[in-house]
Amino acid sequence: MFNKAVQDWVRSLAMRVMKKLANTPITPNHITILGLLFTLAVAWLAGAGFLLAAGLVLGISSITDIADGALARARNACTDYGAFFDSLLDRIGEAVVGVGIIIYYVNHGHAMEGSLLTYLSICGALMVSYARARAEGLGLECNVGFMARPERIVVTCAGLVLFPVFGLWVLSASLWVLIVTTFFTTGQRLYHVYSVTRPAPQEEPRPRLLRRRRAAS
């Protein structure tokens, strides 16, 4: 959803900021863990009914998604384990936020609707992430689709922050948006992998022209 120009601008800004921390004891993994702690706070706030605060904290936590990778690049210390650790905690964080939203629905008499919507939105998010991870495990690039993690955070934040103004329906609407778009993005990545891995069709042999044999004279 965010075009490449926006992404490059955000990354360059994060790099300039993180270069100031390059010589400190803070490591990229520390920032990744801080991001998980933020999501735990988001889950608690959402479950307790403070949805506006939960949305604001979730927005702040998204900074850590950019900062940990930027710090690793600023130190020229990108590692496979760091990438794995970051991705794993990101998935845990998304699930934890979903649990907080489910608790809110349950506490306010919408257990069936809220639990189902939130569960499906989490499933969609995990499928999008898994599709890319599995493809990259096969040595394929798979960053297609418009509902990646940054976009999912924006939609979730919107649902939480706008709740006090518009009511519960806007939170449910944001979950519906996540469900539809994440399942669609999963389909996009499925088709992408199929298109780059299917064997090239073999050229069909041209039909042979049969020559008439002349009858022996």
Side-chain angles (χ1 to χ4, degrees):
M1 185 180 296
F2 296 126
N3 60 40
K4 189 175 184 300
V6 174
Q7 296 177 10
D8 291 343
W9 178 80
V10 171
R11 289 194 184 100
S12 63
L13 177 63
M15 277 289 292
R16 290 197 295 269
V17 174
M18 287 299 105
K19 282 181 179 179
K20 299 179 181 179
L21 299 179
N23 296 321
T24 68
I26 300 174
T27 69
N29 287 345
H30 290 158
I31 298 177
T32 302
I33 294 172
L34 178 63
L36 179 61
L37 296 178
F38 272 123
T39 58
L40 291 172
V42 172
W44 182 87
L45 289 168
F50 304 108
L51 297 188
L52 174 59
L56 295 176
V57 175
L58 181 59
I60 296 173
S61 73
S62 65
I63 298 174
T64 62
D65 284 342
I66 305 168
D68 52 6
L71 180 58
R73 289 188 293 272
R75 288 183 173 178
N76 196 23
C78 296
T79 64
D80 290 339
Y81 176 76
F84 168 80
F85 187 69
D86 179 43
S87 296
L88 179 61
L89 264 62
D90 284 348
R91 305 293 81 75
I92 294 173
E94 287 190 272
V96 165
V97 171
V99 170
I101 294 174
I102 288 175
I103 292 173
Y104 175 83
Y105 273 109
V106 171
N107 288 340
H108 291 79
H110 300 277
M112 179 61 72
E113 172 197 2
S115 298
L116 184 59
L117 288 178
T118 309
Y119 172 76
L120 290 176
S121 68
I122 294 173
C123 287
L126 294 179
M127 285 193 301
V128 169
S129 299
Y130 179 77
R132 178 175 179 175
R134 188 68 183 94
E136 290 180 346
L138 298 173
L140 305 172
E141 288 288 339
C142 189
N143 54 1
V144 300
F146 60 91
M147 191 49 71
R149 177 169 166 79
E151 292 80 5
R152 296 196 299 269
I153 291 177
V154 169
V155 174
T156 305
C157 284
L160 293 170
V161 171
L162 296 177
F163 169 82
V165 179
F166 297 102
L168 185 62
W169 73 267
V170 74
L171 179 59
S172 298
S174 69
L175 294 175
W176 271 113
V177 170
L178 289 174
I179 293 168
V180 173
T181 55
T182 53
F183 276 75
F184 182 75
T185 300
T186 301
Q188 287 180 298
R189 294 186 173 184
L190 178 66
Y191 178 76
H192 171 74
V193 173
Y194 168 74
S195 64
V196 299
T197 56
R198 63 180 176 179
Q202 295 181 353
E203 183 178 357
E204 295 182 0
R206 296 180 179 179
R208 297 176 60 186
L209 297 178
L210 298 178
R211 295 182 179 178
R212 291 184 180 181
R213 292 183 179 179
R214 290 189 299 173
S217 56

